[in-house]
Amino acid sequence: MASSREDVVGEILALNGEDVPFAFAAFEGGVVGVWDYADAKWAGLLAAGQISRDYELTVTLHDDGSYSLLDETHDTQTRLDTKGLHHERSFFKGTKRTFSFNASFAPIASDHGQVGNTFGWKFDTEEMKEPVREILTRYGWIPRHRSFLDRLFGR
């Protein structure tokens, strides 16, 4: 039998801390974690721009003792160069594993308030999902298998 929803939510919220790059918050049906893994601005003689990328993990705790995980990503990139202004946005909602690494150079770059010549990030969804799954398993919660329509519509 699965432990109470409150116990599991409390354990997942205890993952928050200064040494992790993400933060969890509770909602009525479970918890949601957010990781803003790329947030950089740069300026230079030939180009200027901004990158913003974040990842959200929603953990829904169902009444039958099962859980579901849902990934959501938002990517925005704006740059100004000799050819004009370019703006790109992308969004994903569903289940996936993502690993991303970037090390870039710009004459004047700012990454989370730190000014320097480079910006970059290291990001892996498993770094956030693995401890959550360990807690859920330890407390007796089982993964809910999603139907084809759930996967198709990102539920």
Side-chain angles (χ1 to χ4, degrees):
M1 170 126 192
S3 295
S4 75
R5 179 177 285 147
E6 293 78 21
D7 290 343
V8 172
V9 168
E11 280 287 317
I12 294 173
L13 292 178
L15 294 172
N16 292 339
E18 294 292 322
D19 57 337
V20 294
F22 47 80
F24 285 98
F27 70 93
E28 187 176 326
V31 293
V32 63
V34 176
W35 186 348
D36 184 9
Y37 66 93
D39 188 7
K41 296 179 184 178
W42 68 93
L45 295 172
L46 300 176
Q50 178 175 350
I51 292 176
S52 177
R53 293 185 177 165
D54 60 70
Y55 169 72
E56 195 172 286
L57 175 65
T58 302
V59 182
T60 305
L61 303 171
H62 305 284
D63 292 334
D64 63 357
S66 66
Y67 69 89
S68 53
L69 303 178
L70 183 66
D71 302 296
E72 194 170 318
T73 59
H74 303 94
D75 298 340
T76 304
Q77 182 170 350
T78 305
R79 68 183 188 283
L80 177 64
D81 59 24
T82 57
K83 296 178 184 172
L85 180 67
H86 308 279
H87 183 77
E88 301 171 20
R89 293 184 73 139
S90 65
F91 168 81
F92 174 82
K93 190 173 187 177
T95 301
K96 70 177 183 175
R97 177 175 183 176
T98 301
F99 176 79
S100 176
F101 173 79
N102 185 357
S104 299
F105 171 79
I108 301 172
S110 173
D111 184 9
H112 298 289
Q114 303 277 345
V115 176
N117 292 326
T118 61
F119 63 93
W121 61 83
K122 178 183 155 281
F123 168 70
D124 184 356
T125 55
E126 285 302 303
E127 196 172 328
M128 195 171 180
K129 287 180 180 179
E130 187 176 331
V132 168
R133 282 194 296 259
E134 287 174 4
I135 290 168
L136 291 164
T137 300
R138 186 176 44 209
Y139 279 83
W141 290 74
I142 58 170
R144 177 176 273 190
H145 297 288
R146 299 174 1 177
S147 70
F148 171 74
L149 290 176
D150 286 342
R151 290 190 305 271
L152 183 64
F153 294 111
R155 298 185 290 195

